[in-house]
Amino acid sequence: MTEKVIILGAAVSSSAQLSSHGRDFHDFMSYWSLQSNVSVVCFTSTQIPGIGGRLFPPEMCNNHKNGNRYPNGLMIYDQNDLEALIEEHGATMCALAYSDISYDSVQSLAARVNSKGCKFIQVPPSLTQLLSSKPVVAICATRTGTGKSQTTRAIADYLKKKGKKIVVVRHPMPYDKNLLDQRCQRYEVLEDLVRYKCTIEEREEYELHIEEENLLYAGVDYQMILREAEKEADIVLWDGGNNDFCFFKPTVTICVADALREGHEEHYYPGEINMRMADLVMINKVNSLQSPDLASSQAQHIRDFLGKQDIPIILGNSVVTPEARGPTGQLLGDSVVKDMVYGKKVLVIDDGPTLTHGGMPFGAGYVLAKQMGAAEIVDPRQAAKGSLVGVFQKFQHLEKVLPAMGYDERQVSDLQETVRGVDCDCIITGTPINLENVIDVGKNCVRARYCLQLDKQNMTFLELALKPIV
């Protein structure tokens, strides 16, 4: 019997729990397209603008390996129409292929599928992880916004100081209408962000790696991406997206948990999988807690939950510092930057994914505003324009921060108009990118820089975990 499969992909949805596009395509290319008893009938997605109604191109359907089973490619439909799609295509199985989704939402989706007489499955990492000829360090997480990228950058710096040539491979963000244009992308200089027409969300993940001279690959075809990365790397670093697992079979897996979201590691798919597969767990943002003892308690709870008392768990600090530049691009002095914020009325713009499907009420920008003594952090909701109105309606936990949304040109324009409509003295941006390169904020702007900090003892445990590849 041939299974007729719908692959369930996703993006940001009104539930604030559905997220991350791209593993659906990887699962298809690395597994489903190669199964002789399977016919994939379509993909579904949720509500990132422009994704629904697109075509997954035949050039990436492995037709040369599967007897030209997908000569016309595969359509991507809106997941709201899932039940109708099951009936229309006679689907017998739906495969979950996205991340950072609560267990309640997973089961709700399974109920929708099962109620139509269709099987619901979750593909384990082992079936889709590609083998590399080089060592792979996978940095994954329990939730979106735990600090994976700052951890990846810290590990990249460590390995480069050890004389290793590293290449970072980033989890997919395939937002282009023509997916072939994103098949395999190589980022080395900031101009590449313009060449590949990167969205704000893509820039947030790529820009700091480029600034720190970390060669980076991303795209859609991760077999091709891996082969290209291997040509230039001694070690491949996987910089995960959301709380998804690694697309490559890792040599070392590091899972980043969040001190501000204790217990989430047990309730969001597939974050628990990452934690159970990890060689080392790091609890980040410990410096944001009232007491580090809370993180120690969280660490012990994780050990008890996993039934692994010997798993290394280290504690990390996410250190936030201000940066501002003058009209000609020169760095401003500390006292000048402090005067821009202290006692002032401030608008905070923070990382979009962390605030939306990550569920956080604030990010690094808000932390910096408090740290620098802002007199008032303004509520941006009344100034919201266009698509940002809908964002605040969907994500009602957001009150004092503006998410840096920019999946397409319309959203970028809406973000700029919203920012310029807020009555404030200064703007603090907690998004990882230099937002002033994307929009005209029209006011004094302070950028929140953040990096991972480990004390000597915790750094020693990280070095021990990396020892097999160093």
Side-chain angles (χ1 to χ4, degrees):
M1 173 185 172
T2 298
E3 294 279 10
K4 293 186 176 182
V5 176
I6 296 175
I7 299 177
L8 308 178
V12 179
S13 85
S14 58
S15 69
Q17 302 297 344
L18 311 185
S19 58
S20 181
H21 207 74
R23 181 152 66 86
D24 43 5
F25 302 150
H26 174 71
D27 284 4
F28 171 73
M29 297 177 72
S30 63
Y31 180 72
W32 291 112
S33 66
L34 305 176
Q35 303 307 303
S36 60
N37 63 335
V38 166
S39 175
V40 176
V41 296
C42 65
F43 295 95
T44 65
S45 72
T46 56
Q47 299 163 0
I48 280 181
I51 286 183
R54 291 192 307 172
L55 177 74
F56 186 79
E59 292 88 343
M60 290 194 282
C61 287
N62 284 324
N63 284 317
H64 62 295
K65 296 180 180 179
N66 59 32
N68 201 31
R69 199 176 305 150
Y70 306 99
N72 300 314
L74 287 166
M75 287 301 298
I76 306 166
Y77 296 109
D78 193 319
Q79 191 167 282
N80 288 331
D81 301 324
L82 178 58
E83 288 82 355
L85 290 168
I86 291 172
E87 291 187 1
E88 178 183 345
H89 293 281
T92 59
M93 180 184 293
C94 290
L96 181 64
Y98 54 90
S99 59
D100 213 1
I101 175 172
S102 72
Y103 287 171
D104 284 348
S105 296
V106 172
Q107 190 53 49
S108 178
L109 191 54
R112 290 177 63 189
V113 171
N114 291 162
S115 70
K116 303 303 293 184
C118 198
K119 288 173 276 190
F120 179 84
I121 71 163
Q122 296 156 255
V123 178
S126 60
L127 294 183
T128 62
Q129 286 180 329
L130 306 173
L131 296 177
S132 176
S133 62
K134 300 294 176 69
V136 175
V137 179
I139 295 89
C140 302
T142 57
R143 288 299 312 276
T144 302
T146 60
K148 295 179 303 298
S149 289
Q150 63 182 262
T151 304
T152 305
R153 295 195 303 273
I155 291 173
D157 182 64
Y158 171 78
L159 292 173
K160 287 189 291 187
K161 287 177 179 176
K162 291 290 185 180
K164 302 296 183 181
K165 190 172 183 180
I166 63 97
V167 172
V168 176
V169 177
R170 167 67 196 177
H171 186 278
M173 305 179 77
Y175 303 144
D176 200 294
K177 291 182 179 180
N178 183 354
L179 291 172
L180 280 176
D181 289 345
Q182 288 193 274
R183 187 168 191 168
C184 179
Q185 298 175 322
R186 182 182 185 275
Y187 294 87
E188 186 173 14
V189 294
L190 291 173
E191 288 75 15
D192 292 330
L193 300 171
V194 178
R195 180 162 67 97
Y196 288 122
K197 301 175 183 177
C198 288
T199 64
I200 286 178
E201 282 68 24
E202 290 168 295
R203 284 172 173 267
E204 286 176 336
E205 305 304 335
Y206 306 161
E207 188 172 297
L208 292 183
H209 280 300
I210 296 170
E211 284 186 1
E212 296 184 17
E213 299 184 348
N214 296 333
L215 181 61
L216 183 141
Y217 278 86
V220 180
D221 186 343
Y222 277 77
Q223 183 75 254
M224 180 183 290
I225 288 167
L226 180 59
R227 297 290 88 88
E228 291 301 313
E230 288 169 339
K231 295 175 184 177
E232 304 192 69
D234 298 323
I235 297 171
V236 175
L237 295 186
W238 172 261
D239 187 357
N242 295 343
N243 66 346
D244 209 350
F245 41 72
C246 185
F247 288 7
F248 312 143
K249 185 173 177 57
T251 311
V252 177
T253 298
I254 295 168
C255 180
V256 184
D258 195 331
L260 298 176
R261 288 176 282 182
E262 180 182 3
H264 283 221
E265 53 269 8
E266 302 173 32
H267 298 289
Y268 289 84
Y269 174 83
E272 183 181 335
I273 295 174
N274 290 327
M275 194 169 60
R276 290 187 177 278
M277 296 177 67
D279 299 292
L280 177 142
V281 174
M282 183 184 77
I283 300 174
N284 197 18
K285 309 179 192 174
V286 174
N287 54 318
S288 293
L289 297 175
Q290 291 184 341
S291 168
D293 292 341
L294 295 172
S296 298
S297 176
Q298 182 180 355
Q300 187 55 52
H301 179 79
I302 289 172
R303 290 190 178 97
D304 294 341
F305 177 70
L306 297 178
K308 297 179 180 179
Q309 294 300 317
D310 59 344
I311 186 170
I313 300 180
I314 64 175
L315 307 182
N317 296 327
S318 183
V319 178
V320 184
T321 55
E323 177 186 289
R325 294 181 179 271
T328 60
Q330 78 278 16
L331 282 172
L332 300 178
D334 292 346
S335 61
V336 176
V337 177
K338 182 179 179 180
D339 289 342
M340 291 169 65
V341 178
Y342 183 79
K344 299 296 195 303
K345 192 175 181 180
V346 171
L347 167 66
V348 172
I349 306 173
D350 265 326
D351 176 60
T354 299
L355 299 180
T356 54
H357 56 262
M360 284 289 289
F362 62 86
Y366 184 89
V367 171
L368 185 63
K370 289 288 191 180
Q371 185 177 301
M372 295 184 70
E376 179 185 352
I377 300 174
V378 301
D379 184 341
R381 290 175 292 180
Q382 294 302 314
K385 300 292 191 301
S387 59
L388 270 298
V389 175
V391 169
F392 281 114
Q393 288 173 346
K394 293 175 183 179
F395 303 101
Q396 295 188 14
H397 65 286
L398 300 178
E399 297 178 354
K400 293 291 188 179
V401 289
L402 175 64
M405 305 296 286
Y407 286 104
D408 58 18
E409 291 182 3
R410 179 177 61 87
Q411 273 200 332
V412 172
S413 176
D414 292 341
L415 179 63
Q416 177 171 289
E417 291 305 306
T418 298
V419 171
R420 293 179 69 86
V422 173
D423 179 20
C424 63
D425 302 313
C426 177
I427 295 167
I428 293 182
T429 63
T431 170
I433 66 171
N434 184 352
L435 197 60
E436 292 180 279
N437 287 338
V438 182
I439 65 172
D440 179 7
V441 298
K443 297 179 178 71
N444 288 334
C445 187
V446 175
R447 185 177 179 184
R449 292 278 195 172
Y450 40 97
C451 65
L452 177 66
Q453 182 184 79
L454 298 174
D455 65 21
K456 185 175 181 180
Q457 180 180 7
N458 286 297
M459 188 64 201
T460 298
F461 280 110
L462 177 60
E463 290 174 343
L464 287 172
L466 296 173
K467 189 174 181 180
I469 61 167
V470 175

